[in-house]
Amino acid sequence: MEEINKESEYQWCLEDVKKFNVQINCLAEIGSRDGFDAIKLTKEFKPTKTYIFEADPRLAKNIEKNISKYKKDMNLNLFNIALGSEDKTVTFHAVDEKKYDNDGVGSLYVLNFEDREESDPDYKIGYIQKEINVEQKKYTSLDLDTPDLIAMDVESAELEVLKGLGEQLDSVKIIILETSIHKYHFGGSNFIEIHNYIKPQFKLIKNRRYGNKNYKIFQDHYKYKFSKIKKFQNAFDLLYVNKSILL
């Protein structure tokens, strides 16, 4: 369990979150992969309950093992389902571990490798996922508390998850998520789509690419939008805060 001692993927913005001095009673890590960040965030904010969501059954089994030592004392609750905008059985594109060594890129969508440079190790790598059927639920269908803090890494399914929160989204205090300028997965959401969806209620505070200089993310978006050649760009993280706590 040496992974638990590594820095959280969300460490880059935790001090910023603390500055808002909001009480985190309920925390949700969506797209967990291994459960370690859920443990670290729970240690950091000490919520009364933490929800962990992972769609891939293989990874969910590993999470169950990783959180077993902490589950009772921290009130960690694992859900082996996909979150989305509808309640239905969906095709999930899990990583084929025989073809690719990054478990974290499983998604509701197929990875887009078409815009990679020839120097990229993933150039023309082909389809490295495998189709499995999983249950998808809207968050509102689960009869769970509204999370005060959402930490989300769902590989281009962010917009689906947010839509599934329905009116509960307005009561979320903090959202940390990963996204990209280009279409990282075919059919998935990108930065500007997510931003436009939540900007009525949430303010973008910081990004992992440029820190507090959020205008540069929008510059990157427009450069990509109007460029003739659409080149791959690495994903980045964003910190959003509910405007109600900024008043």
Side-chain angles (χ1 to χ4, degrees), residues 54-245:
E54 175 53 56
D56 188 329
R58 181 174 65 87
L59 299 186
K61 288 180 181 178
N62 191 43
I63 293 170
E64 189 66 60
K65 185 192 306 179
N66 291 339
I67 69 173
S68 59
K69 178 181 175 182
Y70 309 89
K71 188 173 182 180
K72 185 177 180 181
D73 290 342
M74 290 187 174
N75 195 10
L76 305 177
N77 303 271
L78 174 61
F79 299 87
N80 181 203
I81 57 173
L83 289 178
S85 62
E86 298 179 83
D87 295 337
K88 61 181 182 179
T89 300
V90 296
T91 299
F92 185 80
H93 300 273
V95 174
D96 187 339
E97 62 271 28
K98 296 177 182 178
K99 296 180 179 179
Y100 207 64
D101 61 2
N102 183 356
D103 284 335
V105 294
S107 176
L108 293 174
Y109 306 101
V110 176
L111 270 162
N112 175 16
F113 290 121
E114 290 188 356
D115 54 3
R116 303 297 178 103
E117 301 278 1
E118 287 189 36
S119 58
D120 192 313
D122 292 334
Y123 176 68
K124 291 188 176 180
I125 195 172
Y127 183 64
I128 54 84
Q129 295 160 288
K130 56 184 178 182
E131 294 185 1
I132 58 174
N133 290 329
V134 302
E135 285 304 306
Q136 175 180 279
K137 293 289 186 182
K138 296 182 293 185
Y139 191 90
T140 54
S141 299
L142 298 174
D143 195 27
L144 297 174
D145 290 351
T146 300
D148 297 300
L149 187 154
I150 291 175
M152 176 165 49
D153 183 356
V154 289
E155 300 296 315
S156 302
E158 296 81 15
L159 194 56
E160 274 288 299
V161 173
L162 293 168
K163 287 179 177 179
L165 279 153
E167 293 183 358
Q168 285 182 271
L169 179 61
D170 291 342
S171 299
V172 175
K173 297 173 183 175
I174 307 284
I175 299 174
I176 311 168
L177 60 83
E178 183 185 64
T179 186
S180 58
I181 295 295
H182 77 134
K183 290 287 187 178
Y184 214 87
H185 295 75
F186 294 109
S189 55
N190 62 6
F191 158 66
I192 203 65
E193 293 167 337
I194 296 165
H195 179 77
N196 287 341
Y197 186 77
I198 63 176
K199 70 178 181 181
Q201 188 62 37
F202 290 86
K203 178 178 176 62
L204 177 59
I205 300 298
K206 188 177 182 180
N207 69 85
R208 199 171 184 177
R209 182 179 285 182
Y210 300 117
N212 296 321
K213 297 177 180 179
N214 292 315
Y215 69 90
K216 289 193 172 185
I217 289 292
F218 292 94
Q219 287 179 340
D220 287 351
H221 160 68
Y222 285 110
K223 285 178 184 177
Y224 181 83
K225 181 179 179 180
F226 294 110
S227 62
K228 293 182 179 179
I229 300 175
K230 308 296 186 185
K231 293 183 178 180
F232 167 79
Q233 295 187 29
N234 287 320
F236 51 89
D237 298 304
L238 302 172
L239 169 64
Y240 283 93
V241 173
N242 197 306
K243 293 178 180 178
S244 65
I245 69 175

Side-chain angles (χ1 to χ4, degrees), residues 22-37:
V22 296
Q23 182 64 42
I24 307 297
N25 295 312
C26 180
L27 188 154
E29 190 203 10
I30 307 172
S32 182
R33 183 170 67 175
D34 53 29
F36 292 134
D37 278 318

